[in-house]
Amino acid sequence: MVTTYFSYSYITHNLKQSLTRVEQQPDVAREAAYYKANIGKVKTIDDFMKDYRLYHYAMKAYGLEDMAYAKAFMKQVLESDLNDSKSFVNKLVDKRYREFAAAFSFAGGTTPVAQSEHQTDEMIGLYTATKKSQVDALADDSKYYSAHIGSITSADQLLNDDRLRDYVYSAYGIDQSKWPRDTISQVLRSDPSDPTSYVNTTFASQLNGLKAQLAQAQSDVSAANSRIADYTAQLSQPGANVTQLKVQILVEKHHLESYASSISGLSGQIATINGFVDVAGAFEFSPDGSLPSGVSAQTAANVTITKQRFDDSKAAVYSAASPLNEAFAIRQFRTALLTVNSVDAFVSTPDVYVFALGAVGLDPKEVSQATIKAVLESDLSDPKSYVHTLKDDRYVQLARAFNFDAKGNLTTPLVAQDPAEVLKITKDYVISAVKSASTASTQQQAAVRAQATKDATDYQEAIAGIDSVSDLLANRPMVDFILLAKGLDPRKVSTDFLKKIFASDLNDSKSFANTQSDPRFADIVASFNFDGKGNVARLPMMGPQKRDQFRETQANYLQQSLEQQQGDTNPGVRLALYFQRKAGDITSAYDILADKALSEVFRTTFNLPDQMAAMPIDRQAKYVDKFMKLKDLSDPAKVAKLLNRFSAMYDIKNSQSTGQAQSPLLNLFQGSGSGISQSTFLAIAKLRAH
């Protein structure tokens, strides 16, 4: 029989080829193909468990074949909330159950919401920044006006300068979309004190008539209100013709609407004419548009008046940016946002609609709700979608800030990594950091844990702002964090290499990422929601599994198949492969002692008697710490060296039984045998509970 040492060494040096051979075996290929073709059809846990082949494939992938019969138990595992420390699966000592639950999203993945907490915080920050920038822009406009109005020599020169013209128009209430430039030019050349000037003959001469019409309209409103009150009072009088009175009330209300419209229109015309008269008086231009020699376009007093009128015209901007009003708007936005469950609800909720548009710099008065609805229902990943045809980043910004699908319904946030994946990678990072300090002093270990926890928090905050592969790779501290969490040395991984990894098509077995000897690089790509162009996208799920969950399940199935097949020939090889696979997850001596197979590897490696399993758990843990440095288990080279020793010791220990077809050690993987006693498991469970 080939020795354990040789078999293990050969397989580990040719692991990818070994897995490929297993993958190509007819029965393995058949089950993998079935799983891939049918997992996407699964809607519920019951659907999953009713399909024997799907269920058993997944159970085998996570080393739980012997528990396949316990469907009620496994259903509780799949229904558990992994984020709840008191959930069913988190109370179980065996980590395989948690790994199995984490491979599916039956308990609910990311919840569809109008905005995630990060999106809300981003929008509030954007709102504050936009309001400040708007106030700063007004201050810049005033500075520009003060600096340049003194150099103006003609009315046309003033109107040719966009910033000066817009400033004057705003100050004097001139709507440039309604009034031709030539008209305003003639107004500027007018002398309000000259009855024959353009501004007086064309506009001011209308004031008396308009004011008379306004007074009449206001009188008509008063009379109509009086009649409505009179008719309403008559309704309660005996013998009243109720039907006729109600008709008369409706007629008067119709008249009121007409009068109110007239008042609004007349008031606007009067304000415009007064603005024309004021702007004519604010400048010193001659009838030909020039300035008399030595005369400035405006006196110092008129410059001050113009600037004050400009500020008055922007009162709403200044008011919105005040700390009190800003805080109120934010509070209203947060509260109202909770009621938004569709695009229709969004556009009909002013506290959300106005706030959101204001945050990206859009004026609700200048853009239609139909446009906003079409923007929010656009597919950001499609360059031909409506939002991209507008060629305006403000609309793209708005669409990114909310989560609506093509039908206007809520969908999941558009994020580079799902919350569960972020939680997993930050947890792995902290575990890796703590493990690296396992031989340090208690104080040093505490410092390492504190720093690792801070790094994890920083990552959680930073990942929320990543919109593309380029963003990610440009942030090397984040990249290093990911590599360390995966047990990789950042010093040996260049950014150019990672660019090729992320550019790979994970569905192509011959792609750059999939042909690497280390599968962790492809796993990193699968953990992100980047599309083929490297942008964040909502990637489709395969039933209850995301892309990385599906890949992990299939990879685990292959690994389990390889280990089982090797175990049929030599159980020692299976033990070594199993330990190699689990080494990175070991964080304490108790992780080894709680697993019969890992314990057997430990005892065999260091030639310790099986009777050690009957010792008190604390004493066993001291032996583990004495013989093994846990931080070395994060180093593949040191793990390989350890397992080479194990395989040699295993051959020595089992030299008399190597020719047997079945070894008692197989019981370590079958839930039976004389490994660790039940009392040991209970002791470990109690320690973990504390």
Side-chain angles (χ1 to χ4, degrees):
M1 178 179 176
V2 178
T3 65
T4 304
Y5 180 87
F6 178 82
S7 296
Y8 170 70
S9 297
Y10 177 81
I11 291 171
T12 53
H13 282 90
N14 301 276
L15 184 58
K16 193 171 184 65
Q17 295 92 321
S18 298
L19 288 171
T20 300
R21 282 196 297 271
V22 172
E23 184 179 20
Q24 293 172 347
Q25 293 170 2
D27 56 335
V28 174
R30 184 168 55 251
E31 292 308 305
Y34 181 85
Y35 189 85
K36 182 177 182 180
N38 292 279
I39 191 62
K41 302 173 185 177
V42 171
K43 304 297 182 185
T44 66
I45 295 176
D46 289 335
D47 289 344
F48 177 58
M49 290 186 160
K50 285 177 182 177
D51 190 315
Y52 177 90
R53 293 175 70 180
L54 287 180
Y55 176 58
H56 279 258
Y57 182 96
M59 291 292 282
K60 177 177 178 177
Y62 291 91
L64 295 169
E65 276 185 293
D66 58 320
M67 288 296 293
Y69 72 93
K71 289 190 175 182
F73 178 88
M74 294 307 301
K75 186 172 183 178
Q76 290 186 74
V77 168
L78 290 172
E79 289 174 338
S80 296
D81 181 357
L82 294 175
N83 296 317
D84 181 2
S85 60
K86 297 180 180 179
S87 67
F88 180 78
V89 75
N90 283 327
K91 291 181 179 179
L92 300 174
V93 174
D94 195 329
K95 290 183 178 181
R96 292 177 301 170
Y97 295 111
R98 196 179 191 286
E99 292 170 357
F100 185 74
F104 298 90
S105 300
F106 286 116
T110 306
T111 304
V113 288
Q115 281 190 326
S116 65
E117 289 184 16
H118 174 74
Q119 286 174 307
T120 299
D121 290 342
E122 284 282 299
M123 173 142 282
I124 289 172
L126 187 60
Y127 179 86
T128 301
T130 298
K131 295 307 172 186
K132 181 181 183 302
S133 68
Q134 288 174 344
V135 170
D136 291 344
L138 297 183
D140 286 342
D141 286 341
S142 289
K143 288 180 182 178
Y144 184 87
Y145 190 82
S146 297
H148 292 83
I149 191 62
S151 62
I152 293 299
T153 59
S154 69
D156 286 339
Q157 187 183 6
L158 172 67
L159 295 175
N160 285 336
D161 187 311
D162 293 343
R163 291 187 71 178
L164 292 180
R165 183 187 67 245
D166 292 346
Y167 194 90
V168 170
Y169 277 27
S170 181
Y172 293 94
I174 300 171
D175 185 347
Q176 59 182 317
S177 68
K178 295 180 179 179
W179 295 101
R181 173 196 161 112
D182 289 345
T183 297
I184 305 305
S185 178
Q186 293 186 68
V187 168
L188 288 169
R189 302 172 187 185
S190 300
D191 181 357
S193 64
D194 179 2
T196 64
S197 67
Y198 176 80
V199 73
N200 282 323
T201 57
T202 306
F203 296 105
S205 60
Q206 302 177 37
L207 281 174
N208 289 335
L210 292 172
K211 289 178 180 178
Q213 293 177 51
L214 178 60
Q216 181 60 54
Q218 292 170 334
S219 176
D220 290 341
V221 166
S222 178
N225 280 324
S226 178
R227 286 191 290 272
I228 289 173
D230 182 47
Y231 294 146
T232 302
Q234 291 181 44
L235 286 173
S236 60
Q237 294 178 3
N241 187 338
V242 175
T243 301
Q244 181 60 31
L245 287 171
K246 287 184 176 180
V247 169
Q248 290 175 312
I249 290 173
L250 288 174
V251 170
E252 292 303 326
K253 286 183 176 180
H254 175 71
H255 288 161
L256 269 180
E257 291 178 2
S258 177
Y259 300 149
S261 178
S262 294
I263 289 173
S264 177
L266 291 166
S267 297
Q269 291 181 60
I270 291 170
T272 297
I273 291 174
N274 285 332
F276 285 166
V277 172
D278 290 343
V279 77
F283 290 88
E284 306 300 321
F285 297 117
S286 300
D288 64 356
S290 64
L291 286 171
S293 179
V295 176
S296 297
Q298 281 188 304
T299 63
N302 277 333
V303 169
T304 300
I305 290 172
T306 300
K307 292 174 70 175
Q308 183 58 55
R309 290 186 66 139
F310 176 79
D311 285 342
D312 291 344
S313 72
K314 303 298 183 181
V317 176
Y318 288 113
S319 177
S322 70
L324 186 63
N325 286 338
E326 192 174 271
F328 178 76
I330 291 171
R331 186 165 59 252
Q332 293 293 95
F333 172 72
R334 284 190 180 278
T335 301
L337 184 64
L338 299 176
T339 67
V340 174
N341 55 15
S342 66
V343 169
D344 287 334
F346 172 84
V347 298
S348 60
T349 307
D351 287 335
V352 175
Y353 183 76
V354 175
F355 186 96
L357 267 63
V360 299
L362 292 170
D363 187 344
K365 297 176 183 177
E366 297 179 358
V367 59
S368 71
Q369 289 190 354
T371 296
I372 297 302
K373 288 176 69 174
V375 163
L376 293 175
E377 292 172 358
S378 296
D379 180 358
L380 286 167
S381 64
D382 180 3
K384 296 181 181 179
S385 65
Y386 179 77
V387 67
H388 293 300
T389 65
L390 298 176
K391 306 297 182 183
D392 189 329
D393 285 341
R394 293 176 299 174
Y395 292 106
V396 175
Q397 216 171 11
L398 182 66
R400 283 191 177 280
F402 290 91
N403 309 311
F404 298 109
D405 61 20
K407 295 181 179 179
N409 298 316
L410 294 182
T411 186
T412 55
L414 193 62
V415 292
Q417 274 188 322
D418 296 320
E421 193 64 46
V422 173
L423 183 63
K424 181 178 183 297
I425 203 165
T426 53
K427 183 179 179 181
D428 288 344
Y429 176 85
V430 173
I431 289 173
S432 176
V434 171
K435 188 188 295 185
S436 68
S438 61
T439 58
S441 67
T442 302
Q443 186 176 2
Q444 289 173 325
Q445 288 182 18
V448 168
R449 180 181 288 277
Q451 183 59 49
T453 302
K454 181 182 181 301
D455 292 342
T457 300
D458 291 343
Y459 180 83
Q460 288 174 316
E461 294 175 354
I463 195 64
I466 297 298
D467 292 324
S468 66
V469 171
S470 298
D471 289 346
L472 176 65
L473 298 184
N475 190 328
R476 188 64 201 197
M478 286 187 70
V479 172
D480 291 350
F481 182 97
I482 296 164
L483 294 172
L484 287 168
K486 288 290 185 179
L488 296 164
D489 187 347
R491 295 170 298 181
K492 298 179 180 179
V493 183
S494 70
T495 300
D496 287 339
F497 175 81
L498 289 173
K499 285 180 181 179
K500 294 179 182 179
I501 289 292
F502 276 99
S504 301
D505 179 1
L506 294 184
N507 294 318
D508 180 2
S509 61
K510 297 180 180 179
S511 67
F512 186 75
N514 285 328
T515 54
Q516 297 302 305
S517 58
D518 193 330
R520 288 176 292 182
F521 292 110
D523 292 342
I524 289 173
V525 176
S527 72
F528 284 89
N529 300 319
F530 294 129
D531 61 17
K533 295 182 179 179
N535 297 316
V536 171
R538 292 184 180 89
L539 302 181
M541 289 187 63
M542 299 182 69
Q545 289 190 307
K546 298 189 288 289
R547 179 174 66 172
D548 59 326
Q549 293 171 323
F550 172 78
R551 284 177 58 85
E552 182 181 79
T553 300
Q554 291 219 311
N556 285 350
Y557 184 86
L558 281 180
Q559 183 69 32
Q560 288 283 349
S561 297
L562 173 64
E563 291 175 17
Q564 286 184 4
Q565 290 174 21
Q566 289 300 316
D568 291 340
T569 303
N570 187 332
V573 177
R574 183 179 186 183
L575 280 167
L577 291 172
Y578 178 78
F579 191 97
Q580 182 184 49
R581 174 161 58 89
K582 290 291 185 178
D585 298 326
I586 297 172
T587 60
S588 72
Y590 298 105
D591 288 337
I592 295 175
L593 298 174
D595 187 306
K596 290 183 287 185
L598 297 181
S599 314
E600 178 64 20
V601 171
F602 167 70
R603 290 196 302 272
T604 301
T605 301
F606 298 102
N607 197 28
L608 298 170
D610 290 341
Q611 289 77 9
M612 175 184 167
M615 293 170 56
I617 193 66
D618 289 341
R619 288 186 62 190
Q620 293 185 55
K622 288 180 180 179
Y623 273 101
V624 173
D625 291 334
K626 177 182 177 180
F627 285 97
M628 186 180 291
K629 293 181 180 179
L630 294 181
K631 67 177 183 179
D632 289 348
L633 299 182
S634 297
D635 185 335
K638 291 182 179 180
V639 171
K641 184 177 180 181
L642 176 77
L643 291 175
N644 282 337
R645 174 174 176 169
F646 158 77
S647 57
M649 292 298 296
Y650 179 86
D651 284 336
I652 294 172
K653 183 178 180 180
N654 295 275
S655 59
Q656 295 179 350
S657 60
T658 53
Q660 296 179 5
Q662 175 75 16
S663 168
L665 284 172
L666 278 177
N667 291 329
L668 297 172
F669 298 97
Q670 297 173 343
S672 61
S674 59
I676 296 177
S677 65
Q678 184 66 21
S679 61
T680 299
F681 280 109
L682 289 175
I684 293 172
K686 289 179 181 178
L687 284 169
R688 290 191 167 214
H690 291 298

